[in-house]
């Protein structure tokens, strides 16, 4: 019911013209660059989201948009016709899931929409399951009745124990001091739970049965050759950089990723994306490592739009979610649903004060 109300309010904002008016006003107020942060691409809402974005924003590749933001060079307009005065927006996908190829790429090609994918070469080359998906897969597919971890016995057939066990696995893979430790733990958990995590076996086989697996180089090159998909770096193995104990490993994760991508793609890679991406997951050492590795820009998951004053190594992004109705996305990007929430909160505070005064409280 709550989601239906959000969609209804968003529909009123859109079809009344408020969304268009808000976008026009924001564009007049200051020059900004909006970067959307998607991960998965499979979902019924993505085509309608892209249709909305294509209609109301000037969609650009990331490098071109950042060049324009920081050099203030006007974007080249068509030789004929009116100048495109829509606000610029970049669509990004983190991690390089296979559904970026089976779903997002098809839409990009058919709708002529540029997008940028941040790749993790270690997963591309090995075709292994992403570590942050391992907890749910392992507990859902285990064949064992009971097991003991960290002094506690778990019964995976029970819902509460599955949830608790998944939390233990996620915590141990997320808060690791080095990549080798994480791989060792996952190997031990697969043996303990009698489950093997999925893997893409062959580079030249177009196996698309599990779209949560990583892209391969063949698919990556095909997408880039289309002209609609560009790439950035996302570390070699996706550790949370602030958690790494060894500064040398941190620097290797950042630099080796760029070198590998450049070797595979045959051109310079200038953009980097921090894994997880909030301040507490990055750290000053990681920012310095990105600068030293020769990247020109780096993206976070801190939610905001960007201006020419934004730190180029701490660029902001707004969340993209294929589960969100396109009308809700439209209202949120225009700032309308957020404003309504703040007004509602202020009304609640006002009424609370009224009640306190009415009953003689202070």
């Amino acid at each position: 019911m709550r989601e239906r109300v959000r969609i209804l309010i968003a529909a009123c904002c859109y079809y009344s013209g408020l969304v268009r008016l808000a976008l026009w006003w924001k564009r007049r107020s200051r020059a900004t660059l909006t970067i959307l942060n998607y991960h998965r691409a499979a979902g019924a809402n993505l085509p309608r989201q892209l249709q909305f974005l294509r209609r109301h924003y000037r969609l650009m590749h990331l490098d071109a948009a950042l060049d324009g933001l920081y050099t203030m060079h006007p974007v080249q307009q068509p030789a004929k016709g009116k100048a495109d005065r829509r606000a610029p927006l970049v669509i990004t996908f983190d991690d390089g899931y296979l559904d970026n190829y089976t779903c997002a790429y098809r839409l990009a090609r058919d709708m002529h929409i540029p997008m940028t994918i941040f790749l993790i070469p270690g997963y591309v080359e090995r075709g292994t399951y992403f570590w942050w998906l391992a907890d749910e897969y392992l507990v859902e597919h285990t064949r064992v009745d009971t097991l003991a971890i960290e002094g506690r016995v778990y019964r995976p057939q029970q819902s509460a124990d599955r949830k608790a066990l998944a939390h233990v696995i996620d915590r141990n893979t997320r808060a690791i001091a080095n990549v080798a430790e994480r791989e060792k733990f996952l190997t031990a958990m697969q043996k303990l739970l009698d489950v093997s995590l999925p893997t893409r076996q062959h580079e030249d086989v177009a196996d698309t049965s599990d779209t949560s697996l990583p892209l391969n180089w063949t698919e990556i090159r095909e997408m880039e050759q289309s002209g609609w998909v560009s790439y950035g770096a996302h570390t070699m193995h996706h550790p949370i950089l602030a958690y790494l104990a060894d500064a040398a490993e941190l620097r290797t994760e950042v630099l080796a990723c760029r070198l590998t991508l450049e070797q595979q793609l045959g051109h310079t890679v200038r953009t980097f994306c921090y894994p997880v991406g909030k301040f507490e997951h990055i750290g000053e050492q990681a920012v310095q490592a990105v600068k030293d590795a020769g990247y020109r820009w780096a993206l976070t998951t801190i939610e905001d739009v960007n201006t020419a004053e934004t730190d180029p190594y701490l660029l902001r992004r707004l969340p993209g979610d294929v589960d969100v109705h396109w009308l809700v996305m439209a209202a949120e990007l225009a700032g309308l649903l957020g404003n309504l929430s703040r007004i509602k909160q202020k009304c609640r505070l006002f009424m609370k004060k009224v009640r306190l005064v009415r009953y003689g409280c202070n």
Side-chain angles (χ1 to χ4, degrees):
M1 178 62 72
R2 185 175 180 181
E3 184 58 23
R4 290 181 181 178
V5 172
R6 279 170 56 83
I7 295 173
L8 178 61
I9 294 172
C12 292
C13 292
Y14 184 81
Y15 291 111
S16 67
L18 280 176
V19 167
R20 186 181 293 273
L21 179 62
L23 292 176
W24 172 82
W25 180 256
K26 289 174 71 173
R27 190 172 66 249
R28 277 179 57 90
S29 301
R30 58 173 179 164
T32 62
L33 172 61
T34 300
I35 305 175
L36 288 185
N37 173 209
Y38 286 91
H39 289 81
R40 303 302 301 272
N45 289 318
L46 185 60
R48 295 300 302 274
Q49 290 179 0
L50 295 180
Q51 288 173 1
F52 161 76
L53 294 173
R54 184 178 62 172
R55 184 179 304 119
H56 294 281
Y57 290 88
R58 180 166 18 107
L59 302 182
M60 305 176 67
H61 281 298
L62 181 60
D63 279 24
L66 290 173
D67 272 329
L69 179 69
Y70 286 107
T71 63
M72 302 305 289
H73 290 163
V75 177
Q76 187 175 0
Q77 301 293 344
K80 297 181 180 180
K82 295 182 179 179
D84 191 342
R85 300 187 182 281
R86 294 173 299 173
L89 183 142
V90 174
I91 297 168
T92 67
F93 286 87
D94 285 5
D95 308 324
Y97 292 93
L98 179 54
D99 65 17
N100 293 181
Y101 175 77
T102 59
C103 298
Y105 171 52
R106 175 179 54 81
L107 292 170
R109 186 185 55 207
D110 294 347
M111 300 170 69
H112 293 184
I113 292 176
M115 52 187 59
T116 300
I117 300 174
F118 287 99
L119 297 172
I120 312 167
Y123 281 94
V124 175
E125 293 175 347
R126 294 189 299 157
T128 50
Y129 211 58
F130 293 115
W131 64 260
W132 55 90
L133 302 179
D135 59 334
E136 291 188 6
Y137 188 93
L138 290 173
V139 299
E140 290 297 329
H141 292 82
T142 183
R143 301 179 180 89
V144 303
D145 295 324
T146 62
L147 71 156
I149 302 177
E150 298 179 349
R152 175 179 168 178
V153 175
Y154 296 88
R155 294 174 176 80
Q157 306 308 316
Q158 299 180 6
S159 176
D161 275 17
R162 282 201 305 275
K163 185 176 180 180
L165 180 57
H167 176 73
V168 170
I169 296 171
D170 179 71
R171 172 168 50 79
N172 278 276
T173 50
R174 187 172 299 272
I176 53 102
N178 58 71
V179 172
E181 178 184 322
R182 183 181 71 203
E183 296 306 311
K184 181 179 179 181
F185 175 79
L186 283 175
T187 299
M189 289 305 304
Q190 289 177 79
K191 184 178 295 186
L192 190 61
L193 290 164
D194 192 23
V195 181
S196 295
L197 291 170
T199 303
R200 296 192 75 184
Q201 297 297 328
H202 301 291
E203 169 73 20
D204 59 345
V205 175
D207 179 9
T208 59
S209 57
D210 186 350
T211 58
S212 62
L213 286 164
L215 295 162
N216 63 36
W217 291 119
T218 301
E219 293 151 351
I220 289 167
R221 294 190 187 97
E222 178 189 337
M223 288 191 285
E224 184 171 61
Q225 289 168 6
S226 74
W228 296 111
V229 180
S230 56
Y231 298 106
H234 201 31
T235 71
M236 281 298 294
H237 304 98
H238 202 280
I240 299 176
L241 296 175
Y243 297 172
L244 292 179
D246 187 353
E249 182 176 15
L250 187 157
R251 291 192 296 271
T252 299
E253 282 287 330
V254 172
L255 177 59
C257 184
R258 181 176 70 81
L259 297 178
T260 302
L261 289 177
E262 290 180 347
Q263 181 182 24
Q264 291 288 341
L265 300 175
H267 59 74
T268 301
V269 173
R270 300 193 294 174
T271 54
F272 180 84
C273 174
Y274 302 103
V276 186
K278 294 293 192 281
F279 280 126
E280 62 269 26
H281 306 123
I282 299 171
E284 293 182 3
Q285 280 191 326
V287 175
Q288 189 58 52
V290 170
K291 294 178 181 178
D292 294 342
Y295 295 99
R296 189 170 178 183
W297 304 291
L299 280 65
T300 69
T301 57
I302 301 164
E303 296 180 15
D304 205 347
V305 296
N306 301 283
T307 69
E309 288 72 42
T310 303
D311 186 333
Y313 291 96
L314 292 170
L315 288 159
R316 274 54 169 167
R317 290 187 290 177
L318 298 178
D321 187 347
V322 294
D323 294 326
V324 171
H325 194 282
W326 73 271
L327 286 167
V328 174
M329 164 187 268
E332 287 180 340
L333 286 176
L336 295 174
L337 279 186
N339 289 338
L340 288 172
S341 298
R342 286 190 288 273
I343 291 171
K344 189 175 180 180
Q345 186 177 17
K346 287 181 179 179
C347 288
R348 286 201 192 105
L349 291 173
F350 175 75
M351 292 306 298
K352 183 177 181 180
K353 289 179 180 178
V354 169
R355 287 194 296 271
L356 290 174
V357 171
R358 182 178 179 181
Y359 292 106
C361 303
N362 52 47

